[in-house]
Amino acid sequence: MGIEGREANLTKARLAQDALGIEKAQFFCDDVRNLSVEKYGEFDVVLCLGIYYHLDAPDVFRFMEQIGSVCRRLAIVDTHVSFTADLYHTYGDLQLWGRNYKEFDPETAPDDRLKILWASLDNPNSFWLTRPSLFNLIQHAGFSSIYECHSPFVAKFEEMRRAKINDRATFVALKNQPVRLRSSDLSHDQPLPTWPE
């Protein structure tokens, strides 16, 4: 099942579905902020690819909780992260740091916003979390183990890698008990950490 906010992108997804002969996929034109168990059900795997960094506070925080509520086992989140802790928002008992990122000019007409395929649907700014704040939020959403993928690297960002800019990352989050590291028992039975900035 896929959720996409722009009909133009849904058309591409359905074209790929038909070309590949995939019968069991369903696509919905909806805002990901409407994700819920009641509306869409539960899933073993949730993919959050290229959307998370387009959300502003507090939606970016609520959406991670929504991912946690519909996910039974594993979530993969591909997102940008902030290298700087410019400002923070309080969400429950969390203090979540990051920076604002401009999505589009606030004066842009709604119809024109939908044509900007690499921007948010309606919020002119998004909030990019720092890695520690993202880790704390993922844990808060019910995930117990978090992994970061460093290879393969996103090819179109190769020039950023050469410049040693790596603000895009893919995280794999697992639910249930923390993974027990076989190489070291030092982490066994330890409470989940609070990651400092």
Side-chain angles (χ1 to χ4, degrees):
M1 189 210 65
I3 300 173
E4 168 57 46
R6 289 181 170 86
E7 193 60 50
N9 288 337
L10 277 175
T11 300
K12 292 176 190 176
R14 290 180 181 126
L15 180 66
Q17 178 184 12
D18 291 344
L20 296 171
I22 299 170
E23 295 178 11
K24 294 185 178 182
Q26 291 181 290
F27 297 103
F28 297 92
C29 189
D30 197 0
D31 189 320
V32 295
R33 293 171 287 195
N34 295 326
L35 178 67
S36 69
V37 172
E38 297 76 26
K39 189 166 186 178
Y40 291 108
E42 291 183 305
F43 305 92
D44 292 327
V45 177
V46 174
L47 306 176
C48 178
L49 308 176
I51 182 69
Y52 195 68
Y53 57 89
H54 289 300
L55 301 175
D56 200 359
D59 291 335
V60 69
F61 315 136
R62 283 195 294 264
F63 186 51
M64 185 56 70
E65 282 192 319
Q66 290 166 286
I67 290 171
S69 73
V70 302
C71 181
R72 288 188 291 246
R73 182 66 183 134
L74 176 131
I76 298 175
V77 180
D78 172 66
T79 187
H80 284 283
V81 291
S82 175
F83 290 139
T84 60
D86 295 342
L87 62 117
Y88 72 89
H89 295 273
T90 301
Y91 187 71
D93 60 352
L94 298 175
Q95 195 174 69
L96 300 167
W97 289 85
R99 72 176 178 93
N100 287 327
Y101 178 84
K102 185 175 182 176
E103 291 284 331
F104 54 77
D105 187 316
E107 300 300 317
T108 306
D111 287 346
D112 291 333
R113 291 177 192 167
L114 288 176
K115 295 174 187 171
I116 308 171
L117 299 182
W118 299 96
S120 68
L121 289 176
D122 56 14
N123 47 287
N125 295 302
S126 56
F127 186 70
W128 292 9
L129 292 153
T130 62
R131 272 182 173 83
S133 286
L134 181 60
F135 296 160
N136 289 332
L137 182 60
I138 290 172
Q139 288 177 174
H140 173 79
F143 295 93
S144 57
S145 298
I146 305 166
Y147 301 89
E148 184 172 351
C149 177
H150 292 275
S151 185
F153 195 79
V154 179
K156 74 187 246 184
F157 297 106
E158 181 65 22
E159 67 278 1
M160 296 173 99
R161 184 187 67 78
R162 286 191 194 121
K164 304 210 180 338
I165 299 170
N166 187 16
D167 67 354
R168 181 120 185 211
T170 301
F171 301 95
V172 177
L174 296 172
K175 278 211 157 169
N176 303 321
Q177 292 299 314
V179 172
R180 295 175 71 88
L181 299 177
R182 295 179 189 264
S183 60
S184 170
D185 63 0
L186 297 176
S187 65
H188 295 183
D189 303 317
Q190 294 295 315
L192 293 176
T194 299
W195 295 92
E197 286 299 321

